[in-house]
Amino acid sequence: MRATWKGAISFGLVTIPVQLFTATEEHDIPLRQVHEKDASRVRLRRVCEAEDVEIPYQEITKGYEAPDGSMIMLSDEDLADLPLPSKKLIDVLAFVDAGSIDPLMFSKAYYVGTSDKAAAKPYALLREALTESGQIAVTKIAIRSRESLAVLRVHEDTLVLQTCLWPDEVRPAAGITPEGDVTIRPQELQMAKSLMEMLSQDFDMSALHDDYQEALQQVIEARLQGIEPPHEEAAAPAGGKVIDLMAALENSVRAARESRGEPGSGAEAAQVHELPVRTGAGKSPAKRATRTASKTAAKSGTPARKATGSAATRSAAAPKDTGGKKTTAKGATAKKTASTTASKAASKTASKTTGKAASKTAAAKKATQKRASA
């Protein structure tokens, strides 16, 4: 690997001779610009506007156009001799927490290696200090005739220099987020967290690959073989329907479970989507029985006491089983009380019925005697 920059890291009175190596590379299938008519190459040529002739690269330099239209020539020597203190120096300005810099500012990464054996110990010292403190070093460096903000951080056992944008180069995000208040229900938030957890299980970043490059290679191979290249299947139209967010989240969790070979029963979704307990659900069985009996008595004309006894008997006949002796005792007491109440009500009703029947019989007997005397 060829070094792209040589200099030194400086923090305090410590100087570490280092060199930078490009840490990343983008793999890409090279495509040429060609003439559609005959497939010949199309090349870009540098042409002088005044002479209308092509200029060789060696005769090209840089210039700055002034506001009045005049051109100021800048040679390579002028750019190389800029009075920059960071020209061959990675100047550490401060040490900050690793999460204090927004990743939006990060640009290109370079591995930092030592230039000689004497730099091994201060290099290791800086690396261990950054690791133990959980901090990164904010620096400035001049690369390719431009000064950049950068940070020094640790990647595995190697120092990495990550160039950054300047703070004023990051555009504000004002006016991009949705306007108006958006209400998020607790069930939706919980289901979203469940989906995030499902998608994060056993995730391996190293297993990801570039699907676009593979698809492009398939098309190129098909063209080389003179066959029809594969095409993407037409996507189903969205239809512009309003999305049921909760249903979409539940289906997503179910699909994630099934893709992992787990049953997509949606039991967790049902628990999350469960509605709150209705008012009155926590009332005791006795109170519910009394209330039910009162309603029944009002509708049928049956005495409330009798209905209450029946409802209490039904409630006592199926006591809530908590597995404790106290509950059993309460159930037995309730059952006994209900039976006594029902018996008393039945006796009272029977007495009234018998009395009424006896009165009717006596009246009928008197009427018969009166007709016989007449």
Side-chain angles (χ1 to χ4, degrees):
M1 189 182 297
R2 185 173 62 88
T4 60
W5 185 92
K6 291 184 179 182
I9 298 174
S10 174
F11 64 104
L13 299 178
V14 179
T15 301
I16 310 173
V18 296
Q19 48 190 348
L20 302 183
F21 303 87
T22 303
T24 61
E25 61 179 354
E26 296 182 4
H27 51 83
D28 199 0
I29 297 177
L31 299 178
R32 308 294 185 185
Q33 289 185 333
V34 297
H35 188 192
E36 185 179 4
K37 180 179 179 180
D38 52 17
S40 58
R41 287 282 302 275
V42 175
R43 298 182 182 274
L44 300 179
R45 298 184 179 182
R46 300 173 178 85
V47 178
C48 176
E49 292 182 354
E51 302 177 3
D52 196 21
V53 295
E54 185 178 355
I55 303 299
Y57 184 77
Q58 293 77 7
E59 297 182 11
I60 297 176
T61 187
K62 294 180 175 61
Y64 173 79
E65 185 174 2
D68 60 358
S70 60
M71 192 68 65
I72 299 174
M73 306 294 291
L74 297 173
S75 64
D76 293 339
E77 291 75 14
D78 293 332
L79 299 177
D81 294 335
L82 291 176
L84 284 176
S86 59
K87 186 169 58 175
K88 288 295 180 182
L89 191 66
I90 302 175
D91 187 18
V92 176
L93 306 176
F95 294 91
V96 299
D97 292 335
S100 61
I101 297 182
D102 193 330
L104 191 64
M105 297 180 63
F106 290 154
S107 184
K108 195 171 181 58
Y110 298 88
Y111 289 132
V112 180
T114 57
S115 298
D116 52 51
K117 294 182 178 180
K121 186 170 182 178
Y123 181 98
L125 177 62
L126 177 58
R127 179 189 63 197
E128 296 303 320
L130 292 175
T131 302
E132 290 292 332
S133 64
Q135 293 183 315
I136 57 178
V138 180
T139 71
K140 289 200 302 183
I141 182 175
I143 302 179
R144 297 187 180 91
S145 70
R146 179 185 177 185
E147 187 178 51
S148 298
L149 185 66
V151 295
L152 278 171
R153 58 185 182 87
V154 179
H155 173 70
E156 297 178 352
D157 290 333
T158 307
L159 289 177
V160 171
L161 179 85
Q162 189 107 34
T163 59
C164 303
L165 300 174
W166 296 98
D168 59 355
E169 291 180 323
V170 178
R171 295 178 177 178
I176 297 178
T177 55
E179 297 182 358
D181 295 334
V182 179
T183 303
I184 302 297
R185 296 188 298 165
Q187 298 95 326
E188 295 170 341
L189 182 60
Q190 183 62 35
M191 186 58 65
K193 291 180 179 179
S194 299
L195 178 59
M196 292 168 61
E197 183 178 354
M198 287 297 302
L199 295 178
S200 301
Q201 292 179 3
D202 302 329
F203 176 72
D204 184 10
M205 181 72 77
S206 62
L208 301 180
H209 59 279
D210 191 345
D211 293 330
Y212 177 83
Q213 295 296 321
E214 291 185 359
L216 180 57
Q217 189 65 46
Q218 291 177 8
V219 172
I220 293 175
E221 293 293 337
R223 292 297 188 190
L224 289 174
Q225 297 175 15
I227 61 176
E228 183 68 17
H231 298 282
E232 181 183 8
E233 296 181 0
K241 297 187 296 183
V242 177
I243 298 176
D244 185 343
L245 183 58
M246 195 64 191
L249 289 170
E250 291 176 355
N251 293 334
S252 300
V253 172
R254 187 179 299 109
R257 284 185 173 276
E258 293 175 354
S259 66
R260 293 171 53 83
E262 300 178 7
S265 61
E268 293 182 355
Q271 293 178 1
V272 174
H273 207 174
E274 191 177 60
L275 294 177
V277 179
R278 292 177 297 177
T279 304
K283 293 183 178 180
S284 64
K287 289 185 178 180
R288 290 200 300 269
T290 303
R291 189 173 181 180
T292 303
S294 300
K295 290 182 178 179
T296 304
K299 291 182 179 179
S300 61
T302 308
R305 189 176 298 176
K306 182 177 180 181
T308 304
S310 301
T313 303
R314 288 196 299 270
S315 177
K320 186 176 181 181
D321 184 13
T322 58
K325 294 182 179 179
K326 188 174 182 180
T327 304
T328 304
K330 287 184 178 180
T333 304
K335 185 175 182 180
K336 184 176 181 180
T337 303
S339 300
T340 304
T341 304
S343 299
K344 289 181 178 180
S347 300
K348 190 172 182 180
T349 303
S351 299
K352 289 182 178 181
T353 303
T354 303
K356 289 180 179 181
S359 299
K360 288 182 179 180
T361 303
K365 188 176 180 179
K366 287 182 179 181
T368 303
Q369 291 177 355
K370 187 175 182 180
R371 285 195 298 270
S373 300

